[in-house]
């Protein structure tokens, strides 16, 4: 890792666990390279802390290539930092200036309790998926793919919805901590394809019910989620979910 | 209504109620604004008073008035409930939150704008609705109709009242700028062929309604209509 010439002040949220309250702690970093990723900068900080015999900062990460959805830092008031369509791991220090003060906080939502420092528990998302974000397939021979013609536009829209990596930035940035963008993406990727049809109206009811049970807030259409989502998930998905929900509740005879 | 399950208690159901009552109030404002704009005919309010008389006596309108009040109360009550829930959904706030980077300030301030409108509404109902429906309008015009026009003219001589009304119309404009398009999104009416129209109609509607309403106290106060 090349050394550079950036000097930074970090204000990082430190919190021992869910039971204690945390606080922002100041750290000075010198000789940071603009080519480092944001997480590599945190690696440097942690090495320094370890060398001093202090506790390193705990933060989530896995792939570090923008596809797993684990990294989750609220940087200077924005999830995944100042760049559009970028996850924290894909953010580079060249997006900051020498001498900057950078405030780093965990996702804040009742449904995402802090585990430690910058790591939050996002298993609420897993429970929403488990409530209906799947299709049931009876086993047997795979049929010919041409038996299921899918219009290109439809396939593209499903693909775009499926790009959601479940990072939770939408919840983090929403003033209401609403999970509508995430849930609508997970509903849409199946609602747009033939395989998703049999369970379509059951799915939307179950997943919305689970979303509410987890304590996420209610959407007020500010559009912050769409603006901050690293995968560009569109608000159209929320409208589709609302339509499907209305059909499920007022038209479909199936109750969940 | 057991077949509907939790249709209206779920987060999306509550939003449907906000959106539906919102659209209803949007339609009401067109009627209200249209009839009031009759004052600009500058005929000592003769035509306006005919309109006001019709609104006060026609039974369909009076029944609609009850529905309007209910719609308004539901809109306010539901907004309050949603706001309390939303506050609970984020118990610990951010030290730094750069909202302006991703959304319009008025879309994040619907509660504040709505509260200002609610305060205004109390003043407004006391100024005109209570007078025309309960305490009585003191004079009649040349046609022998109750002279609501004169009540307006007199009330808007007070500069404080004019200022309050203007501030309220600014709040209304921003509340509608977000609310109009938001209602469509909530109802699921998001369609690439219509989104542009919804957006521009929403902007024009908000601006025109607010300006026409704001022009009323100003016109009376500065004697542009007599
Ligand atoms: S919708 Fe976007 S912001 Fe929300 S979880 Fe999916 S990828 Fe992350
Ligand atoms: S670490 Fe996998 S998306 Fe950032």
């Amino acid at each position: 890792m090349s050394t550079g010439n950036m000097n930074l002040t970090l204000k990082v949220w430190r919190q021992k666990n869910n039971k204690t309250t945390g606080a922002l702690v100041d750290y000075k970093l010198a000789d940071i390279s603009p080519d480092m990723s944001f997480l590599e900068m945190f690696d440097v900080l942690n090495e320094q802390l370890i060398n001093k015999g202090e506790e390193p900062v705990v933060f989530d990460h896995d792939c570090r290539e923008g596809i797993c959805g684990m990294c989750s830092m609220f940087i200077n008031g924005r999830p995944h930092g100042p760049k559009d369509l970028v996850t924290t791991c894909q953010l580079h220090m060249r997006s900051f200036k020498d001498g900057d003060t950078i405030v780093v906080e965990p996702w804040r939502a009742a449904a995402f309790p802090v585990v430690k420092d910058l790591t939050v528990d996002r298993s609420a998302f897993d429970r929403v998926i488990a409530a209906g974000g799947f299709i049931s397939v009876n086993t047997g021979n795979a049929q010919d793919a041409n038996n299921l013609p899918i219009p290109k536009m439809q396939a593209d829209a499903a693909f775009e919805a499926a790009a959601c990596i479940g990072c939770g930035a939408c919840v983090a940035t929403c003033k209401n901590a609403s999970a509508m963008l995430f849930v609508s993406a997970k509903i849409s990727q199946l609602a747009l394809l033939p395989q998703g049809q049999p369970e379509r109206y059951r799915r939307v009811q179950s997943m919305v019910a689970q979303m509410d049970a987890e304590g996420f807030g209610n959407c007020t259409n500010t559009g912050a989620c769409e603006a901050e989502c690293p995968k560009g998930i569109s608000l159209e998905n929320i409208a589709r979910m609302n339509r499907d929900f209305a059909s499920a509740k007022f038209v479909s005879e199936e109750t969940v | 209504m057991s077949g509907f399950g939790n249709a209206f208690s779920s987060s999306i159901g509550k939003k449907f109620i906000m959106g539906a009552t919102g659209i209803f109030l949007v339609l009401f404002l067109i009627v209200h604004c249209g009839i009031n704009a009759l004052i600009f005919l500058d005929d000592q309010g003769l035509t306006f008073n005919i309109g006001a008389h019709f609104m006060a006596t026609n039974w369909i309108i009076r029944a609609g008035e009850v529905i309007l009040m209910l719609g308004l109360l539901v809109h306010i009550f539901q907004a309050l409930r949603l706001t309390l829930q939303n506050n609970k959904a984020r118990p610990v706030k951010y030290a730094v939150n750069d909202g302006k980077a991703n959304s319009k300030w008025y879309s994040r301030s619907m509660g504040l704008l709505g509260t200002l409108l609610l305060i205004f509404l109390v003043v407004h109902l006391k100024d005109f609705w209570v007078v025309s429906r309960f305490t009585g309008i003191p004079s009649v015009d040349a046609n022998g109709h109750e002279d609501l026009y004169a009540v307006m003219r007199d009330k808007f001589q007070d500069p404080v009242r004019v200022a309050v009304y203007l501030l309220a119309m600014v709040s209304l404009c921003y509340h509608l700028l977000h609310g109009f398009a938001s209602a469509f999104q909530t109802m699921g009416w998001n369609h690439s062929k219509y989104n542009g129209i919804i957006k521009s109609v929403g902007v024009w509607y908000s601006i025109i309604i607010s300006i026409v309403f704001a022009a009323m106290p100003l016109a009376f106060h500065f004697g542009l209509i007599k």
Side-chain angles (χ1 to χ4, degrees):
Chain A
M1 211 176 289
S2 66
T3 55
N5 50 12
M6 291 177 81
N7 295 313
L8 299 167
T9 306
L10 288 183
K11 288 180 181 293
V12 182
W13 185 262
R14 303 302 309 261
Q15 182 171 344
K16 208 171 164 53
N17 56 42
N18 199 356
K19 309 268 174 302
T20 55
T21 54
L24 286 171
V25 177
D26 287 16
Y27 298 102
K28 294 256 182 245
L29 277 181
D31 303 331
I32 293 296
S33 159
D35 300 326
M36 277 180 194
S37 78
F38 201 79
L39 296 186
E40 283 167 339
M41 183 268 292
F42 260 83
D43 294 337
V44 172
L45 169 66
N46 276 348
E47 268 173 49
Q48 289 181 10
L49 291 176
I50 291 167
N51 287 340
K52 280 195 283 183
E54 293 176 29
E55 279 261 320
V57 179
V58 174
F59 60 91
D60 259 333
H61 63 111
D62 188 15
C63 70
R64 295 209 178 190
E65 54 186 22
I67 55 172
C68 76
M70 276 309 275
C71 54
S72 51
M73 291 185 184
F74 206 80
I75 303 161
N76 284 344
R78 298 181 67 184
H80 298 303
K83 290 267 165 201
D84 288 342
L85 300 173
V86 154
T87 53
T88 300
C89 59
Q90 296 282 289
L91 178 68
H92 287 82
M93 297 316 294
R94 54 179 167 269
S95 301
F96 299 88
K97 289 195 307 289
D98 182 35
D100 272 0
T101 298
I102 307 174
V103 182
V104 188
E105 298 172 78
W107 286 177
R108 298 263 184 232
F112 288 166
V114 171
V115 176
K116 190 176 166 101
D117 297 336
L118 300 173
T119 299
V120 297
D121 180 357
R122 283 169 286 181
S123 48
F125 271 10
D126 299 341
R127 290 187 290 273
V128 172
I129 297 287
F134 50 80
I135 56 164
S136 305
V137 180
N138 296 322
T139 52
N141 285 343
Q143 62 166 324
D144 192 293
N146 291 325
N147 285 346
L148 286 176
I150 303 167
K152 171 85 171 118
M153 262 188 77
Q154 198 93 350
D156 286 350
F159 186 82
E160 278 162 26
C164 165
I165 53 177
C167 64
C170 44
V171 175
T173 197
C174 173
K175 75 180 257 288
N176 313 312
S178 163
M180 295 276 278
L181 194 65
F182 165 79
V183 179
S184 70
K186 296 302 173 192
I187 286 174
S188 287
Q189 66 182 13
L190 300 173
L192 285 161
L193 296 177
Q195 292 89 342
Q197 299 314 308
E199 290 150 308
R200 182 170 182 174
Y201 297 107
R202 171 174 277 276
R203 175 183 306 116
V204 65
Q205 298 185 65
S206 308
M207 289 178 75
V208 168
Q210 189 61 36
M211 168 180 87
D212 290 349
E214 296 292 346
F216 292 108
N218 307 283
C219 171
T220 56
N221 301 324
T222 68
C225 53
E226 183 186 53
E228 297 291 12
C229 170
K231 296 296 152 184
I233 301 296
S234 156
L235 290 179
E236 282 164 38
N237 294 299
I238 296 185
R240 180 179 300 104
M241 170 170 71
N242 292 358
R243 282 199 299 275
D244 279 11
F245 185 83
S247 303
K249 290 293 183 196
F250 303 114
V251 184
S252 157
E253 293 191 41
E254 185 177 21
T255 49
V256 174
Chain B
M1 294 238 299
S2 63
F4 293 109
N6 59 353
F8 290 113
S9 59
S10 77
S11 56
I12 298 182
K14 289 193 216 114
K15 284 160 46 64
F16 284 156
I17 293 176
M18 285 307 286
T21 49
I23 290 172
F24 175 61
L25 294 171
V26 158
L27 294 173
F28 155 73
L29 282 183
I30 297 177
V31 177
H32 184 12
C33 190
I35 291 179
N36 278 32
L38 294 174
I39 61 168
F40 295 119
L41 292 176
D42 204 7
D43 57 358
Q44 275 91 43
L46 291 179
T47 319
F48 169 74
N49 285 341
I50 293 171
H53 179 75
F54 171 78
M55 295 305 276
T57 48
N58 184 284
W59 70 268
I60 297 180
I61 303 289
R62 296 307 298 268
E65 196 174 74
V66 175
I67 300 173
L68 173 68
M69 287 298 173
L70 285 177
L72 198 61
L73 285 176
V74 170
H75 195 76
I76 294 166
F77 174 73
Q78 194 75 292
L80 202 68
R81 248 175 83 186
L82 286 166
T83 307
L84 292 176
Q85 271 186 359
N86 291 345
N87 286 341
K88 270 215 326 242
R90 174 163 298 132
V92 184
K93 310 285 172 226
Y94 290 106
V96 180
N97 194 352
D98 190 3
K100 67 180 184 316
N102 52 42
S103 50
K104 298 269 192 292
W105 72 267
Y106 49 86
S107 77
R108 286 177 273 118
S109 312
M110 291 299 274
L112 171 71
L113 294 168
T115 308
L116 289 176
L117 287 174
L118 179 59
I119 296 170
F120 162 73
L121 202 68
V122 174
V123 175
H124 180 55
L125 287 180
K126 190 174 154 291
D127 278 353
F128 298 109
W129 186 69
V130 171
V131 174
S132 79
R133 298 286 191 274
F134 300 104
T135 54
I137 295 167
S139 57
V140 289
D141 65 13
N143 285 340
H145 285 127
E146 290 182 322
D147 202 353
L148 186 58
Y149 183 85
V151 177
M152 274 176 96
R153 189 183 50 212
D154 295 347
K155 295 241 174 186
F156 288 136
Q157 296 315 309
D158 176 2
V160 177
R161 182 175 277 113
V162 172
V164 168
Y165 274 63
L166 289 184
L167 180 70
M169 288 312 105
V170 174
S171 309
L172 179 68
C173 187
Y174 281 111
H175 198 76
L176 290 170
L177 271 178
H178 176 71
F180 190 96
S182 177
F184 283 80
Q185 164 75 4
T186 290
M187 305 310 273
W189 301 328
N190 177 319
H191 187 295
S192 58
K193 284 190 179 157
Y194 299 98
N195 286 349
I197 301 173
I198 294 171
K199 221 175 144 189
S200 51
V201 169
V203 171
W204 283 111
Y205 169 87
S206 313
I207 294 175
I208 292 172
I209 289 275
S210 315
I211 287 185
V212 173
F213 272 133
M216 295 171 193
L218 286 176
F220 278 122
H221 190 72
F222 293 106
L224 304 178
I225 44 178
K226 299 271 177 309

